[in-house]
């Protein structure tokens, strides 16, 4: 069957999910929706506060009532809805430590209800990667843990929670980003684990998510050498077709990770990456966080050209667009079940502290008869997290180093505490001035900290403050 260029363009638009620059809906997004655009993704830079976000989503829904509106709302360190102030959910690593799937499900229900209230119908979560490499620079506390069985049961609980209120979930990053020491935002990571290790570790949480009827699965820009030594998963028919579709039996929407990441497009550019992803088996392409109209048109032109030349079979394009259309109908924004409130535990009751890792020095510090303060040391985030508010600072509990009262005991908090982190020098200075001092890692532990919270969200920082007996500075 012959397709006109206009018909091909409409099919292509049915597979694309751009972001955009600014805090209001650009005119070009509205025009492209009228021409067939399937999806739009919101990012932290699009959010100022709840009122602005509500107005933005309402404006988008008014212009594009059937668009798949997506966001990375993982809970914990990665939040978009709460980008300016920090997440009100503890996040995966701490939930995995608590190992109560009911808590994880309730946290996901709360996230889903909040998304639904804004008219957002696709949550690009949960992260189901097994964080088997402690030095992993991009997954860490976004993971439910380092054990496949634990990650699997919590991944299923999260999927069930989000989707129970009518919001689609998206398990990521297939077939696993947890055993990497490179951030795919910055370069192309490789996983060299043997096939039987992958099967028992990386793939188990995806099996669990598929068993929970997850609507979408997101690819990783990672070369998994035991499956395809030549291509990242996003561009690999062996990974997406042979493994995910045929062997694991996934029938939902395959979403690419963002194509503006270096692991996807540093060598080829985004338009070529888009073509390769569709050819490999992706259905919905996450174009990037700050897509301009010109960049979007370049992607569309490249995919239309590939389809017109036969490099991208039109049948593959039709299949992808049809899956995305079914997603839009199955998780329509006007069918959200948002009545009532989520049964989320009162995080103030001390439940989160049970998931902290507490070393021997902390007990003596707690017993020291002096006022307690927290000093937070700046810690560069990875690009997945962004410049979101985090830790004791976000909770209003931090004191600057130069304002520590004489005789006070100090908890020095940071995250990503590798050997060269400036936190260690701050702690040594405070000890030299006679302050009883402990160190707190608000991330995935790398060794050396006296206390580890396994997350830096506001609610975790508040639990930390209560545990340490720290009051908000005057």
């Amino acid at each position: 069957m012959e397709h006109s260029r206009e018909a091909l363009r409409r099919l292509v638009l049915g597979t694309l999910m751009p972001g955009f620059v600014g805090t209001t809906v650009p005119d070009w997004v509205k025009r492209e929706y009228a021409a067939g655009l399937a999806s739009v993704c919101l990012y932290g830079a699009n959010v100022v506060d709840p009122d602005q976000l509500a107005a933005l989503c309402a404006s988008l829904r008014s212009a594009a009532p059937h668009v798949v509106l997506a966001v990375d709302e993982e809970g914990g360190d990665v939040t978009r809805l709460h980008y300016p102030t920090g997440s009100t959910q503890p996040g995966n690593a701490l939930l995995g430590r608590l190992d109560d799937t009911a808590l994880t499900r309730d946290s996901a229900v709360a996230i889903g209800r909040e998304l639904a209230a804004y008219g957002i119908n696709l949550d690009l979560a949960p992260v189901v990667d097994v964080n088997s490499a402690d030095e992993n620079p991009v997954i860490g506390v976004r993971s439910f843990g380092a054990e496949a069985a634990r990650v699997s049961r919590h991944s299923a609980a999260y999927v069930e929670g989000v989707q129970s209120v009518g919001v689609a979930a998206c398990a990521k990053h297939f077939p696993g980003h947890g055993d990497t020491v490179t951030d795919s935002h910055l370069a192309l990571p490789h996983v060299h684990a043997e096939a039987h290790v992958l099967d028992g570790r990386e793939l188990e949480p995806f099996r669990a998510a598929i068993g929970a009827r997850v609507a979408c699965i997101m690819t990783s820009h990672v070369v998994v050498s035991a499956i395809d030594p030549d291509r990242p998963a996003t561009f690999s028919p062996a990974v997406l077709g042979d493994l995910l579709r045929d062997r694991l039996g996934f029938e939902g929407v395959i979403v690419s990770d963002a194509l503006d990441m270096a692991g996807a497009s540093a060598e080829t550019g985004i338009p070529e990456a888009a073509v390769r992803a569709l050819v490999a088996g992706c259905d919905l392409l996450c174009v990037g966080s700050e897509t301009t109209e010109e960049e979007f048109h370049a992607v569309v032109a490249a995919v239309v050209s590939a389809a017109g030349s036969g490099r991208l079979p039109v049948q593959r394009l039709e299949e992808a667009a049809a899956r995305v259309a079914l997603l839009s109908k199955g998780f329509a924004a006007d069918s959200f079940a948002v009545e009532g409130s989520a049964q989320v535990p009162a995080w103030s009751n001390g439940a989160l502290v049970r998931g902290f890792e507490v070393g021997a020095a902390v007990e003596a510090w707690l017993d020291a008869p002096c006022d307690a303060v927290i000093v937070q040391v700046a810690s560069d985030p990875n690009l997945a997290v962004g410049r979101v508010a985090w830790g004791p600072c976000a909770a209003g509990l931090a004191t600057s180093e130069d304002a520590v009262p004489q005789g006070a005991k100090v908890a020095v908090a940071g995250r990503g505490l590798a050997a060269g982190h400036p936190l260690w020098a701050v702690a040594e200075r405070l000890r030299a001035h006679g302050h009883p001092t402990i160190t707190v890692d608000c991330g995935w532990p790398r060794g050396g900290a006296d206390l580890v919270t396994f997350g830096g969200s506001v609610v975790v920082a508040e639990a930390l403050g209560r545990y340490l007996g720290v009051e908000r500075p005057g």
Side-chain angles (χ1 to χ4, degrees):
M1 178 180 174
E2 290 290 327
H3 288 74
S4 67
R5 187 172 182 83
E6 181 179 352
L8 283 178
R9 191 177 194 279
R10 178 166 284 274
L11 279 176
V12 171
L13 291 177
T15 68
L16 299 183
M17 182 172 67
F20 59 83
V21 178
T23 56
T24 57
V25 185
D27 288 339
W28 70 266
V29 170
K30 299 176 183 178
R31 288 194 300 270
E32 296 298 349
Y33 173 75
L37 178 63
S39 182
V40 173
C41 191
L42 301 179
Y43 294 86
N46 302 126
V47 179
V48 175
D49 56 42
D51 289 342
Q52 172 271 331
L53 178 59
L56 171 63
C57 292
S59 174
L60 189 52
R61 279 280 165 227
S62 176
H66 304 297
V67 76
V68 175
L69 183 52
V71 69
D72 286 291
E73 192 61 32
E74 297 174 10
D77 284 25
V78 175
T79 178
R80 304 301 181 235
L81 302 187
H82 301 280
Y83 195 77
T85 56
S87 175
T88 57
Q89 297 300 318
N92 288 3
L94 189 51
L95 288 168
R97 291 271 300 177
L98 294 169
D99 202 15
D100 182 341
T101 54
L103 288 181
T104 296
R105 189 182 190 280
D106 287 346
S107 181
V109 168
I111 290 171
R113 288 189 184 280
E114 191 171 21
L115 294 172
Y118 283 111
I120 296 167
N121 56 343
L122 172 57
D123 187 8
L124 299 175
V127 169
V128 307
D129 302 310
V130 178
N131 197 69
S132 53
D134 286 342
E135 65 272 33
N136 193 313
V138 68
I139 303 300
V141 295
R142 301 167 67 197
S143 167
F144 287 112
E147 302 167 356
R150 184 180 303 236
V151 174
S152 296
R153 57 181 174 265
H154 287 277
S155 297
Y158 191 110
V159 168
E160 291 165 358
V162 168
Q163 295 192 170
S164 72
V165 293
V167 175
C170 181
K172 60 188 185 185
H173 308 79
F174 190 81
H177 205 323
D179 196 40
T180 62
V181 294
T182 301
D183 184 344
S184 54
H185 293 83
L186 305 174
L188 179 60
H190 290 71
V191 170
H192 296 299
E194 296 181 10
H196 74 277
V197 174
L198 295 170
D199 188 71
R201 186 179 64 191
E202 271 75 7
L203 298 186
E204 271 302 293
F206 288 99
R207 288 192 184 97
I210 292 168
R213 303 182 65 83
V214 69
C216 304
I217 288 179
M218 178 178 283
T219 67
S220 65
H221 308 319
V222 175
V223 174
V224 183
S225 56
I227 306 171
D228 187 338
D230 301 317
R231 290 168 290 197
T234 302
F235 309 124
S236 172
V239 173
L240 304 185
D242 299 345
L243 178 56
L244 182 54
R245 291 292 188 204
D246 298 341
R247 182 173 152 196
L248 299 186
F250 180 61
E251 297 179 350
V253 174
I254 298 177
V255 183
S256 80
D257 205 348
L259 296 178
D260 62 346
M261 295 165 62
S265 59
E267 294 184 3
T268 67
I270 298 173
E272 171 62 15
V275 173
R276 294 174 64 200
L278 283 166
V279 170
C282 290
D283 302 308
L284 182 61
L285 306 186
C286 183
V287 179
S289 60
E290 297 185 344
T291 311
T292 65
E293 183 176 10
E294 293 73 22
E295 290 167 341
F296 184 78
H297 286 164
V299 170
V300 174
V303 180
V304 168
S305 176
S309 70
R311 179 186 173 197
L312 169 61
V314 174
Q315 184 178 1
R316 167 82 270 275
L317 194 57
E318 290 173 331
E319 174 188 72
R323 283 203 185 96
V324 177
L326 282 175
L327 178 70
S328 178
K329 291 177 182 177
F331 293 89
D334 58 5
S335 66
F336 283 146
V338 295
E339 299 83 4
S341 59
Q343 300 301 307
V344 177
W347 302 122
S348 60
N349 67 6
L352 296 182
V353 175
R354 291 187 289 106
F356 292 178
E357 183 177 274
V358 180
V362 176
E363 185 175 351
W365 186 92
L366 289 171
D367 289 341
C370 43
D371 292 336
V373 299
I374 301 175
V375 171
Q376 181 169 321
V377 179
S379 304
D380 290 335
N382 61 54
L383 289 175
V385 173
R387 297 289 174 183
V388 65
W390 69 280
C393 281
L397 294 170
T399 298
S400 64
E401 182 184 356
D402 58 8
V404 172
Q406 186 173 0
K409 57 185 179 183
V410 187
V412 187
R415 59 184 180 183
L417 301 186
H421 196 286
L423 173 140
W424 308 115
V426 172
E428 284 306 310
R429 286 197 297 270
L430 289 164
R431 291 188 183 108
H433 284 89
H435 297 284
T437 301
I438 57 171
T439 53
V440 180
D441 193 334
C442 295
W444 189 274
R446 300 194 181 189
D450 299 304
L451 192 157
V452 184
T453 65
F454 290 88
S457 73
V458 171
V459 69
V460 176
E462 290 171 344
L464 174 67
R466 288 189 295 270
Y467 177 66
L468 298 180
V470 173
E471 297 181 358
R472 285 183 170 83

